[in-house]
Amino acid sequence: MKTSQQFFNKNGYLLIESILTVEELTAIEQELHAINMDGAGSRELLTEDWCKNLANKLKKHPLLTPILPKEPSTIQCTFFRKSSAKNWLVPLHQDLSIPVKEHLNETGFTGWSEKQGFLFVQPPSSILEQIVAVRLHIDDCHQQHGPLKVVAGTHQAGRIPEKDWITIRDQKDEQECIVNAGGAVIMRPLILHSSSKAKEANGRRVLHFLFVPNKLTKEIPFLFTI
């Protein structure tokens, strides 16, 4: 029988239920209600003390420690909310950008951009391959709620040319990541993934954390290092 770590290494994603207790979910919901958002999400939650504390708690969670990088640091927490007013689809893609404090001159750092006033860059695949994303679900995310869909194993191919994405998905098929409130989808950013619009909007909220090995924080000026 494969361990969760073996499944994750092979497939690039993993579903884990009951990361959060009912009490923890309630406390997070209270914090999220206080966030002033004009759009469907926010990239700046690691400025909040409660989010920093949650990130540190996740690092030590017994269900996550076998999957997270050794001596993990948190570099980002993005908040997504898919509602009837803000209902969207995400086309097939790989997550290639990370938030940084300043421009870098090193080879392989490309695709500079600015989002919500923060600086982002696309680092080499060798760095992206070390990142683990934890998508913490505050609400149930079932088939009707527009769940994440992943193409298993594609994280092992590095940066894949965009012209090949759909062909690879059609060859390998994709899996829907169905998870209940308090559970999480763990994924490698390089895995091909997408999501469709929700057929039944339940205000699906997700906290998307990025974790890196602590050693990388000494090489790259990440915007946040928690």
Side-chain angles (χ1 to χ4, degrees):
M1 183 177 178
K2 286 186 177 180
T3 66
S4 59
Q5 187 176 27
Q6 288 172 327
F7 183 95
F8 180 72
N9 290 341
K10 178 182 178 181
N11 295 287
Y13 80 102
L14 180 69
L15 310 183
I16 303 180
E17 294 286 1
S18 302
I19 294 289
L20 299 175
T21 64
V22 173
E23 292 76 18
E24 288 171 330
L25 269 175
T26 300
I28 291 170
E29 286 184 303
Q30 290 174 347
E31 297 290 354
L32 292 178
H33 281 311
I35 295 176
N36 183 19
M37 287 199 321
D38 295 326
S42 172
R43 291 182 170 85
E44 54 188 77
L45 285 196
L46 280 183
T47 60
E48 303 281 344
D49 287 340
W50 68 266
C51 191
K52 294 176 186 177
N53 293 334
L54 177 57
N56 286 328
K57 185 178 292 187
L58 293 177
K59 293 178 194 177
K60 301 172 184 176
H61 197 291
L63 295 177
L64 295 177
T65 50
I67 310 300
L68 294 179
K70 187 176 181 181
E71 297 181 3
S73 290
T74 318
I75 62 167
Q76 189 178 16
C77 178
T78 305
F79 175 42
F80 300 112
R81 179 176 60 196
K82 187 177 286 191
S83 64
S84 56
K86 300 290 182 180
N87 192 6
W88 71 91
L89 62 82
V90 179
L92 198 65
H93 70 289
Q94 296 176 294
D95 288 342
L96 301 176
S97 296
I98 56 172
V100 291
K101 294 178 182 177
E102 59 196 31
H103 279 275
L104 301 170
N105 295 320
E106 281 81 355
T107 303
F109 287 80
T110 61
W112 291 92
S113 62
E114 188 173 305
K115 304 171 186 178
Q116 292 185 330
F118 297 122
L119 190 62
F120 285 78
V121 66
Q122 295 180 7
S125 293
S126 59
I127 291 173
L128 292 170
E129 288 166 356
Q130 299 179 61
I131 300 174
V132 174
V134 176
R135 292 173 56 91
L136 200 58
H137 282 262
I138 311 306
D139 307 282
D140 291 341
C141 187
H142 299 157
Q143 197 279 330
Q144 66 269 31
H145 302 135
L148 185 76
K149 294 183 285 188
V150 298
V151 184
T154 49
H155 67 297
Q156 300 182 39
R159 292 184 63 162
I160 302 171
E162 185 174 350
K163 63 181 178 62
D164 297 331
W165 291 351
I166 293 177
T167 300
I168 292 172
R169 181 200 62 191
D170 292 345
Q171 289 174 344
K172 292 179 171 289
D173 206 358
E174 58 189 359
Q175 288 75 42
E176 288 186 322
C177 296
I178 305 301
V179 64
N180 294 313
V185 180
I186 323 301
M187 60 181 280
R188 290 289 188 185
L190 284 173
I191 193 171
L192 283 172
H193 59 283
S194 64
S195 73
S196 55
K197 286 187 175 183
K199 299 174 185 175
E200 177 186 313
N202 67 340
R204 189 205 79 176
R205 292 165 296 177
V206 175
L207 292 173
H208 186 108
F209 289 88
L210 293 185
F211 295 94
V212 301
N214 181 260
K215 63 180 182 180
L216 276 185
T217 66
K218 298 173 176 61
E219 303 172 16
I220 299 172
F222 294 109
L223 182 61
F224 301 107
T225 52
I226 307 301

